[in-house]
Amino acid sequence: MTLLAHISDLHLDGSERATRRATRVMDYLRALPQPVDALLVTGDIADHGEEAEYEEAAQILTAPYPVLTCPGNHDARPAYRKVLLGEAPEHGPINQAHHIAGTTILMCDSTIPGRDEGRLDAHTLAWIDTTLTALPQDTPALIAFHQPPVELHHPLPDSCMLEEPGQLADLITAHPQVAAVLTGHAHTAAASTFAARPLIVGPAITWTLRMPWEGDQAADRDQPPGLAFHILDDDRRLTTHYRVVL
């Protein structure tokens, strides 16, 4: 069994509000009587992609277990690489595979610099295929990135979702060890399916999306920050529990 925490869309910008909300969630996670195996952060860690924002993120996201991240459309690859990964500030896609408690987690870069829409480029798709092909058949895998690959029935996230999702769907179909897809970006906790797998959208730290039937104002800044817990069991069944942190 693999137990994961999942947060998204911190949008750290140096403001007291953003810092307070992210810190509150991390304090909650660090205080759990049973630690999770890893924490997933599915993008928009920084709001402007500045080094100072990633320096704050590195402090806030400190945990006694692995913290796995991928970039979102507000992130900037060079500063992200330099501060969070200790690498040269290059512009190429940031893709990393992690082996956690018997599960391989692919943190993928679906960003298009300068745009809100996402796309898994040819390099990233090839990396996903190669990484999954190299896994033993009995090793389950999760694929995580920022922009959801399906409509969520709100005009805001649906206007900037993952483009050309069929290429990823074909890859997942070819690799039965993929148990689920995890994303962020939409600022709403949501569950759907993609390529006959569970698709789980993590809630946002910064603000929550109001759906059309909840009102005309898209951003609900009064809702408390949220997080998800994912349990991947020995049958490769994913169970998700959502929490808000008051």
Side-chain angles (χ1 to χ4, degrees), residues 26 29-30 35-36 38-39 57-68:
M26 289 305 300
L29 288 172
R30 285 190 290 260
V36 299
L39 168 64
Q59 294 180 347
I60 291 175
L61 294 173
T62 299
Y65 37 76
V67 177
L68 319 182

Side-chain angles (χ1 to χ4, degrees), residues 12-198:
L12 293 170
D13 58 3
S15 69
E16 188 273 337
R17 178 184 182 276
T19 299
R20 182 181 69 250
R21 290 172 70 91
T23 300
R24 188 190 316 167
V25 171
M26 289 305 300
D27 286 346
Y28 172 82
L29 288 172
R30 285 190 290 260
L32 291 172
Q34 175 186 339
V36 299
D37 292 312
L39 168 64
L40 277 58
V41 188
T42 49
D44 281 358
I45 298 168
D47 196 48
H48 306 99
E50 297 177 355
E51 287 189 19
E53 295 170 339
Y54 295 113
E55 290 166 357
E56 181 181 23
Q59 294 180 347
I60 291 175
L61 294 173
T62 299
Y65 37 76
V67 177
L68 319 182
T69 66
C70 65
N73 53 293
H74 278 252
D75 291 307
R77 289 170 177 170
Y80 180 115
R81 283 186 186 278
K82 179 180 178 181
V83 178
L84 295 185
L85 304 181
E87 299 178 356
E90 299 175 351
H91 291 269
I94 301 169
N95 300 309
Q96 295 183 305
H98 305 268
H99 306 287
I100 304 292
T103 298
T104 295
I105 303 169
L106 280 66
M107 303 297 293
C108 308
D109 190 339
S110 62
T111 64
I112 307 172
R115 292 177 55 186
D116 292 333
E117 303 91 338
R119 183 185 302 124
L120 297 168
D121 65 12
H123 171 85
T124 298
L125 289 168
W127 173 80
I128 293 172
D129 188 31
T130 299
T131 303
L132 293 174
T133 299
L135 293 179
Q137 287 299 309
D138 59 351
T139 300
L142 298 170
I143 298 178
F145 49 90
H146 189 59
Q147 290 92 344
V150 301
E151 292 184 349
L152 298 178
H153 307 290
H154 189 290
L156 183 57
D158 290 350
S159 68
C160 52
M161 54 186 283
L162 187 79
E163 297 180 343
E164 302 179 13
Q167 297 179 74
L168 177 63
D170 290 343
L171 265 182
I172 291 174
T173 300
H175 293 283
Q177 68 264 54
V178 177
V181 176
L182 310 174
T183 71
H185 187 55
H187 288 238
T188 180
S192 186
T193 59
F194 177 72
R197 307 295 202 282

